[in-house]
């Protein structure tokens, strides 16, 4: 089986599979630990859906990231599927949504809801905290929504995610401008951590409606990533200042 055919087969697996779609990348132990608190995962969604819909959160993000019909979008930390159900019709039948998470309960609930809704262009994916386990070169855009501060091994996740991105693929991070222990990520710290893995900042936008900011980065080509052991963690000055 060719590599292309293998990737196509993986992307067309039924949503009920909830398995990794790629071999594991380097283990978490090869990457440095972040110099910041890691927030606890407390719920499958960040805020009430009505509040987010009124702010047109998904619409704002999709427009800024140019998510269009036919694109493959990975929702990293999909949780309850708030973005999944709203991006599925946007990418259309020729597009694909890879709904990835690491929490078994969230995955089981999302599988059921995707199946009940008949979303044929959605595949639910089980990943790891340091590795989304997505096929190489398969993703046009990835979104990490109100969960970056919960990633225990951000350098590993970003390093492994880069391999899944197509050339020029962009990663959008939605978060609050707050310290990690208060479920946010200071933009300065975010920029530093993404740059440490070779990501290039494209834009930083304050979203309307009080739903946080959107930071968009271009992922590095796999051969332009630093070796895991060469990555240097960023000092979390904001947490130290606000204690």
């Amino acid at each position: 089986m060719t590599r292309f055919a293998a990737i196509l087969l993986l992307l067309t697996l039924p949503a009920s599979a909830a398995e990794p779609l790629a071999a594991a990348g380097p283990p978490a132990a090869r990457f440095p630990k972040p110099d910041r608190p890691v927030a606890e995962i407390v719920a499958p969604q960040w805020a009430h859906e009505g509040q987010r819909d009124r702010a047109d959160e998904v619409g704002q993000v999709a427009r800024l990231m140019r998510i269009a019909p036919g694109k493959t979008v990975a929702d990293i930390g999909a949780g309850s599927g708030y973005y999944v159900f709203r991006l599925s019709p946007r990418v259309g039948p020729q597009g694909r949504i890879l709904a990835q998470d690491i929490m078994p309960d969230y995955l089981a609930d999302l599988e059921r809801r995707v199946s009940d809704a008949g979303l044929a262009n959605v595949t639910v994916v089980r990943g790891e905290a340091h590795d989304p386990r997505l096929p190489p070169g398969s993703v046009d855009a990835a979104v990490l929504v109100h969960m970056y501060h919960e990633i225990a091994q951000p350098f590993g996740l970003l390093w492994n995610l880069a391999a899944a991105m197509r050339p020029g693929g962009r990663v959008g991070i939605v978060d609050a401008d707050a310290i990690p222990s208060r479920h946010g990520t200071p933009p300065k710290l975010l920029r530093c951590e993404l740059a440490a893995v070779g990501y290039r900042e494209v834009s930083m936008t304050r979203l309307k409606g009080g739903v946080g900011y959107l930071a968009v980065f271009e992922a590095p080509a796999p051969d332009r990533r630093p070796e895991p052991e060469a990555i240097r963690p960023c000092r979390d000055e904001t947490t130290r200042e606000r204690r």
Side-chain angles (χ1 to χ4, degrees), residues 13 20 27 30 34 48 50 71 87 91 95 137 160 200-201 232 235 243:
L13 287 172
R30 286 190 60 188
H48 293 299
K71 298 294 185 181
L87 289 179
V91 301
N160 286 307
R200 180 182 68 84
E201 183 179 343
R232 295 292 175 263
R235 185 173 171 82
R243 281 176 178 171

Side-chain angles (χ1 to χ4, degrees), residues 21-44:
L21 294 186
R30 286 190 60 188
F31 297 90
K33 294 181 180 179
D35 175 46
R36 59 170 170 84
V38 176
E40 182 182 359
I41 300 174
V42 295

Side-chain angles (χ1 to χ4, degrees), residues 94-109:
Q94 302 305 313
R96 196 94 195 139
I97 302 297
L98 303 178
Q100 186 268 359
D101 211 298
I102 65 172
M103 303 292 286
D105 290 349
Y106 298 176
L107 289 167
D109 183 64

Side-chain angles (χ1 to χ4, degrees), residues 148 154-155 158-159 173 187-201 217-220 224-226 230-234:
Y148 185 85
F155 303 112
L158 292 169
W159 200 94
I173 298 175
K188 181 179 179 181
L189 178 62
L190 183 75
R191 288 182 169 116
C192 184
E193 292 192 348
L194 272 288
V197 191
Y199 284 71
R200 180 182 68 84
E201 183 179 343
F217 298 84
E218 185 175 313
R224 300 299 298 272
R225 296 172 296 178
I231 297 171
R232 295 292 175 263
C234 302

Side-chain angles (χ1 to χ4, degrees), residues 154-183:
F155 303 112
L157 186 137
L158 292 169
W159 200 94
N160 286 307
L161 176 61
M165 305 302 296
R166 290 179 175 143
R170 294 184 173 184
V171 174
I173 298 175
V174 179
D175 215 337
D177 184 357
I179 59 177
S181 61
R182 295 180 183 175
H183 291 273

Side-chain angles (χ1 to χ4, degrees), residues 4-174:
F4 176 79
I7 291 174
L8 184 63
L9 175 62
L10 287 169
L11 291 179
T12 54
L13 287 172
S16 60
E19 292 293 332
L21 294 186
R30 286 190 60 188
F31 297 90
K33 294 181 180 179
D35 175 46
R36 59 170 170 84
V38 176
E40 182 182 359
I41 300 174
V42 295
Q45 64 181 19
W46 168 70
H48 293 299
E49 292 191 355
Q51 173 189 344
R52 301 172 79 178
D53 286 343
R54 286 191 294 274
D56 189 27
E57 178 183 332
V58 177
Q60 292 186 71
V61 170
R63 288 189 291 273
L64 288 165
M65 293 191 67
R66 300 178 182 177
I67 294 174
K71 298 294 185 181
T72 295
V73 181
D75 184 358
I76 307 299
S80 66
Y82 179 78
Y83 270 66
V84 171
F85 288 93
R86 288 156 180 81
L87 289 179
S88 172
R90 185 175 288 267
V91 301
Q94 302 305 313
R96 196 94 195 139
I97 302 297
L98 303 178
Q100 186 268 359
D101 211 298
I102 65 172
M103 303 292 286
D105 290 349
Y106 298 176
L107 289 167
D109 183 64
L110 187 54
E111 286 176 330
R112 178 186 57 78
R113 295 182 63 214
V114 165
S115 177
D116 289 348
L119 299 183
N121 65 348
V122 175
T123 299
V124 180
V125 185
R126 176 168 55 85
E128 299 177 61
H130 73 290
D131 186 350
R133 302 291 296 274
L134 299 175
S138 64
V139 177
D140 296 299
V143 293
L144 293 80
V145 181
H146 295 292
M147 53 74 72
Y148 185 85
H149 50 271
E150 298 173 347
I151 302 172
Q153 182 38 268
F155 303 112
L157 186 137
L158 292 169
W159 200 94
N160 286 307
L161 176 61
M165 305 302 296
R166 290 179 175 143
R170 294 184 173 184
V171 174
I173 298 175
V174 179

